[in-house]
């Protein structure tokens, strides 16, 4: 992908003002809610009861500046699909009575389960409670499943007759293009495709603004170079610009962000989370990301990597290189004796450290070139991955002599899906 500067928008703002409660009165960091939708005419008095009910829902939604339920946002990545779902908690008795059966069925299915089939997971610990979005109060749910299960998801959408409720589904990520035809032909659903980096930034700013159920969304590690004193601490991202945003998914994109709609893609690398899992599957025989991380947690990468002290016998003092620094990733594997003595856990740990160190090195160079001192790491590679987060925090602090701070976010890989949901809330009902 080439560099894509984002200029400040030139179009004047809409004349209508948003409602006071829209998106929790946000945002302090520059996010602007959508304008009010047009007023709709009364419901006609003809048609089937079900059809009249659906039309009434749409017209009622238009009056209140919101699209009809259900509200979803999707980010279809190369490895994982991320789905966010807004569950309304303020449904009136009249709304419940008029609600069509398959809408109730979808809501019940998504909110009463924490697992869907063999691979779908709802991250209950990430649920955002008591949000106000488009004047409605509810909870935001976070669901993920492997991209290889996408066709089963599309088939389920067809079986649940999702198209009768919602003709357009807001989606971002490469899969929004790859699977567009399947959504249309199998589930009769039209995808509204959105730029993944736009959605990433908008979703991040929104989630950071509402916070994590009363706690800060952003955090860092204090004393990252001291393993015994290293502690997770909250960080206030009220004034986030400029920031270097490092999105670690299957691959890596690095953005320099100067405002909510002024950013550029500085660079990236193909060596990301997909590389880590792919190599671990080859080297250790593991099958899942969770299994790979579990093995890495038990391994010792110094049995695989050649360190500075293995070459110099200690530190390389002239250039400030500690003896414990990695001189050659997998460098010991040239020796048959070393190869015969290592474990699969050592290989998993060395693979994780190699990928993480490479990302950290590129991010540090980008931060220096862009003259930015805050580096925000996001993406599902960091999910349940404390090892990599501490390695990144250590690397940013140590190699910059304390000038760079590595920041992390609780909802790591879901910001693109949240950005897609926010775009849905801006859309006219008839789009």
């Amino acid at each position: 992908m080439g560099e894509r500067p984002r200029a400040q928008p030139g179009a004047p703002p809409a004349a209508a003002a948003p409602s006071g409660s829209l998106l929790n009165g946000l945002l302090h960091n520059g996010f602007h809610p959508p304008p009010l939708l047009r007023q709709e005419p009364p419901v006609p008095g003809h048609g089937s009861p079900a059809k009249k009910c659906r039309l009434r829902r749409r017209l009622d939604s238009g009056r209140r500046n919101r699209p009809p339920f259900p509200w979803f946002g999707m980010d279809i990545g190369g490895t994982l699909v991320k789905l966010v779902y807004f569950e309304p908690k303020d449904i009136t008795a009249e709304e419940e009575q008029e609600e069509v059966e398959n809408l109730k069925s979808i809501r019940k299915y998504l909110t009463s389960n924490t697992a869907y089939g063999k691979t779908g997971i709802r991250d209950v610990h990430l649920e955002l409670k008591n949000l106000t979005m488009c004047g409605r109060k509810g909870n935001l749910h976070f669901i993920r499943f492997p991209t290889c299960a996408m066709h089963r998801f599309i088939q389920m959408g067809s079986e649940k007759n999702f198209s009768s409720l919602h003709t357009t589904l807001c989606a971002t990520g490469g899969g929004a293009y790859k699977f567009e035809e399947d959504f249309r032909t199998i589930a009769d659903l039209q995808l509204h495709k959105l730029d993944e980096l736009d959605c990433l930034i908008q979703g991040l700013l929104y989630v950071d603004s509402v916070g994590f159920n009363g706690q800060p969304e952003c955090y860092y590690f204090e004393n990252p170079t001291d393993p015994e004193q290293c502690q997770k601490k909250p960080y206030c991202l009220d004034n986030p610009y400029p920031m270097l945003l490092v999105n670690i998914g299957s691959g890596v994109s690095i953005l320099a962000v100067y405002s909510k709609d002024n950013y550029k893609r500085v660079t990236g690398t193909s060596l990301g989370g997909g590389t880590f899992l792919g190599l671990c599957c080859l080297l250790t025989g593991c099958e899942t990301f969770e299994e790979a991380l579990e093995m890495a947690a038990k391994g010792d990468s110094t049995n695989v990597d050649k360190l500075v002290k293995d070459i110099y016998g200690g530190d390389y003092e002239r250039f400030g290189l500690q003896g414990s620094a990695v001189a050659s990733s997998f460098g010991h594997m040239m020796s048959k004796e070393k190869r015969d003595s290592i474990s699969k856990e050592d290989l998993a740990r060395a693979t994780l450290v190699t990928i993480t160190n490479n990302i950290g090195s590129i991010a540090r160079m980008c931060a220096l070139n862009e003259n930015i001192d805050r580096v925000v790491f996001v993406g599902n590679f960091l999910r349940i991955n404390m090892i990599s987060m501490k390695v990144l925090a250590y690397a940013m602090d140590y190699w910059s002599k304390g000038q760079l701070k590595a920041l992390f976010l609780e909802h790591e890989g879901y910001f693109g899906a949240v950005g897609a949901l926010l775009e849905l809330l801006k859309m006219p009902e008839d789009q």
Side-chain angles (χ1 to χ4, degrees):
M1 294 173 67
E3 195 173 282
R4 305 191 327 159
R6 297 286 170 184
Q8 295 287 355
S19 63
S21 60
L22 185 61
L23 298 181
N24 289 345
L26 300 173
L27 286 167
H28 54 250
N29 53 14
F31 179 85
H32 296 290
L36 286 170
L37 302 182
R38 65 187 183 280
Q39 198 78 9
E40 297 286 357
V43 180
H46 55 79
S48 69
K51 189 172 183 179
K52 287 166 66 177
C53 176
R54 287 195 295 271
L55 183 56
R56 189 181 297 111
R57 282 174 50 244
R58 293 192 180 103
L59 299 184
D60 182 62
S61 295
R63 294 188 193 103
R64 290 176 170 81
N65 185 30
R66 56 177 176 257
F69 291 126
W71 294 352
F72 289 106
M74 288 187 74
D75 180 3
I76 311 172
T79 305
L80 277 180
V81 177
K82 287 76 66 178
L83 177 73
V84 296
Y85 167 64
F86 181 82
E87 175 199 9
K89 302 295 285 186
D90 58 353
I91 297 176
T92 65
E94 182 183 5
E95 283 179 317
E96 190 166 4
Q97 185 177 2
E98 292 181 347
E99 195 173 48
V100 293
E101 196 58 40
N102 53 342
L103 180 57
K104 291 179 184 177
S105 173
I106 289 171
R107 185 170 69 247
K108 182 178 179 181
Y109 176 71
L110 291 176
T111 60
S112 62
N113 293 291
T114 57
Y116 314 94
K118 294 181 180 179
T119 56
I121 298 291
R122 178 161 63 92
D123 286 315
V124 180
H125 66 287
L126 293 179
E127 182 179 337
L128 293 178
K129 299 181 178 180
N130 301 318
L131 287 184
T132 300
M133 300 187 79
C134 269
R136 297 303 298 257
K137 295 184 183 298
N139 299 340
L140 197 59
H141 298 274
F142 298 84
I143 298 166
R144 56 183 162 85
F145 59 90
T147 306
C148 61
M150 194 67 204
H151 283 103
R152 292 201 295 275
F153 175 82
I154 296 172
Q155 187 62 43
M156 183 189 74
S158 174
E159 292 168 358
K160 290 186 176 294
N161 199 22
F162 188 76
S163 62
S164 68
L165 300 170
H166 218 313
T167 56
T168 302
L169 183 62
C170 284
T172 189
Y177 296 85
K178 180 178 180 179
F179 296 104
E180 179 181 19
E181 184 67 11
D182 294 325
F183 271 98
R184 188 183 64 80
T185 58
I186 298 173
D188 193 27
L189 282 169
Q190 176 188 344
L191 289 188
H192 182 67
K193 302 185 298 296
L194 301 159
D195 182 85
E196 62 179 297
L197 300 182
D198 286 343
C199 287
L200 168 68
I201 293 170
Q202 296 301 317
L204 186 157
L205 295 177
Y206 174 77
V207 174
D208 179 69
S209 296
V210 299
F212 188 15
N213 297 326
Q215 301 298 318
E217 171 72 15
C218 188
Y219 62 94
Y220 71 103
F221 290 97
E222 188 176 64
N223 302 316
T225 57
D226 185 345
E228 294 183 1
Q229 298 295 321
C230 182
Q231 295 183 57
K232 179 179 174 181
K233 294 282 188 179
Y235 185 87
C236 179
L237 204 59
D238 279 2
N239 183 23
Y241 312 115
M243 66 175 165
L244 196 76
L245 184 57
V246 184
N247 187 30
I248 315 173
S250 300
V252 182
S253 281
I254 300 178
L255 315 177
V257 184
Y258 301 102
S259 74
K260 73 179 183 67
D261 23 42
N262 181 15
Y263 74 85
K264 65 180 180 180
R265 185 180 185 274
V266 180
T267 189
T269 172
S270 62
L271 306 181
T275 315
F276 163 67
L277 181 54
L279 286 175
C280 274
C281 290
L282 283 172
L283 294 171
T284 72
C286 71
E287 295 289 342
T288 67
F289 183 70
E290 290 79 4
E291 188 181 352
L293 286 182
E294 188 176 340
M295 294 177 75
K298 299 173 182 175
D300 184 351
S301 59
T302 64
N303 293 331
V304 178
D305 297 336
K306 187 168 284 189
L307 308 182
V308 169
K309 67 182 178 183
D310 296 322
I311 300 173
Y312 279 84
D315 299 343
Y316 187 3
E317 295 179 357
R318 180 183 175 188
F319 292 105
L321 289 173
Q322 292 183 343
S324 59
V326 178
S328 175
S329 297
F330 282 73
H332 280 321
M333 294 301 92
M334 294 181 286
S335 164
K336 185 179 186 305
E337 181 182 353
K338 290 283 189 180
R339 290 198 302 271
D340 291 341
S341 66
I342 57 153
S343 67
K344 290 182 177 181
E345 287 78 10
D346 294 338
L347 287 170
R349 181 65 167 245
T351 304
L352 184 61
V353 170
T354 296
I355 297 298
T356 305
N357 277 338
N358 183 63
I359 294 169
S361 177
I362 296 172
R364 187 178 73 88
M365 288 187 288
C366 289
L368 290 175
N369 288 339
E370 298 296 326
N371 196 28
I372 296 175
D373 59 11
R374 279 181 299 193
V375 185
V376 182
F377 293 92
V378 298
N380 266 302
F381 175 67
L382 300 175
R383 181 176 61 83
I384 63 169
N385 189 358
M386 189 61 70
I387 296 171
S388 287
M389 286 191 282
K390 288 189 174 182
V391 167
L392 289 169
Y394 176 94
M396 291 295 106
D397 184 83
Y398 179 79
W399 294 111
S400 72
K401 296 180 172 58
Q403 296 303 302
L404 290 177
K405 187 180 290 291
L407 302 175
F408 304 93
L409 296 156
E410 300 285 359
H411 288 82
E412 299 125 350
Y414 281 106
F415 299 114
V418 173
L421 173 63
L422 294 174
E423 286 300 315
L424 170 70
L425 303 185
K426 297 178 185 179
M427 289 176 60
E429 189 278 322
D430 59 356
Q431 192 164 323

